[in-house]
Amino acid sequence: MRISAAQRAEKENRIRAAMDRLLRGEIPPGGKCDIKTLANEAAVDRTAFYGTRPYAHLREVFERRLQALQQVGEIPDPREAQIIRLKTEIAKLKERLTASEQAVDELTDFRTQALARLAAQHEEIVHLRQTAADASRVTRLPSGRSSATVN
């Protein structure tokens, strides 16, 4: 079925208006900033945007404008923006987790070394006390009453 030039121009205007809405971030519920939603919003068959079909040039315009927005950091689809933000946040959290795990490992190693040193020092002290007690020429006096009482 052929369409008249007026009908074609009217469809192109609907497509361009829908394109502008989508690129401004006015995404309908359940839609995305893509060709499928563009076709639904403009009430045009989606296949008309592909190959040598009549509105293929408008698909290219839409994709170029979408890419240009994305390159400057604007993402018209709030879900895509949220996905990108969450992926960035996940990457940062993974980095923090890795750093935390590394710090825990370092502290665990330090604790192990400190306990080993304390045990070695304790053994040395016990050994030195035993050696001093065995080699001592000093006779220990029995403990008597305290001479601190004054009459």
Side-chain angles (χ1 to χ4, degrees), residues 99-114:
S100 295
E101 287 173 346
Q102 183 179 0
V104 167
D105 289 344
E106 289 172 2
L107 291 172
T108 302
D109 290 344
F110 177 77
R111 178 178 167 256
T112 303
Q113 290 175 359

Side-chain angles (χ1 to χ4, degrees), residues 67-87:
Q67 281 182 344
L69 285 173
Q70 289 172 341
Q71 286 175 352
V72 297
E74 290 185 37
I75 301 171
D77 190 344
R79 287 183 303 167
E80 280 186 49
Q82 183 180 21
I83 289 170
I84 291 170
R85 182 183 54 79
L86 290 174
K87 283 182 179 180

Side-chain angles (χ1 to χ4, degrees), residues 1-148:
M1 174 175 128
R2 294 272 178 187
I3 60 173
S4 68
Q7 289 173 323
R8 184 182 191 123
E10 188 264 325
K11 281 188 179 184
E12 279 195 27
N13 289 337
R14 283 198 326 248
I15 293 170
R16 289 182 190 279
M19 187 184 313
D20 290 338
R21 284 193 309 274
L22 290 176
L23 294 174
R24 278 195 310 264
E26 298 173 20
I27 312 294
K32 298 179 182 178
C33 192
D34 61 1
I35 296 298
K36 180 179 178 181
T37 306
L38 177 63
N40 287 338
E41 285 293 296
V44 176
D45 184 30
R46 184 169 41 128
T47 59
F49 289 102
Y50 296 100
T52 59
R53 301 288 174 106
Y55 307 114
H57 68 285
L58 292 175
R59 177 185 50 94
E60 293 169 3
V61 169
F62 177 72
E63 290 173 349
R64 270 197 313 269
R65 287 179 61 189
L66 182 59
Q67 281 182 344
L69 285 173
Q70 289 172 341
Q71 286 175 352
V72 297
E74 290 185 37
I75 301 171
D77 190 344
R79 287 183 303 167
E80 280 186 49
Q82 183 180 21
I83 289 170
I84 291 170
R85 182 183 54 79
L86 290 174
K87 283 182 179 180
T88 303
E89 188 175 334
I90 287 170
K92 288 179 184 176
L93 290 172
K94 283 182 179 179
E95 288 174 10
R96 284 180 55 195
L97 180 62
T98 301
S100 295
E101 287 173 346
Q102 183 179 0
V104 167
D105 289 344
E106 289 172 2
L107 291 172
T108 302
D109 290 344
F110 177 77
R111 178 178 167 256
T112 303
Q113 290 175 359
L115 288 174
R117 288 178 186 156
L118 285 172
Q121 290 171 352
H122 176 72
E123 289 297 319
E124 182 67 17
I125 290 170
V126 169
H127 174 71
L128 290 174
R129 282 183 181 161
Q130 185 64 39
T131 303
D134 291 345
S136 176
R137 293 186 192 156
V138 177
T139 307
R140 298 199 185 260
L141 298 175
S143 61
R145 292 176 44 194
S146 171
S147 60

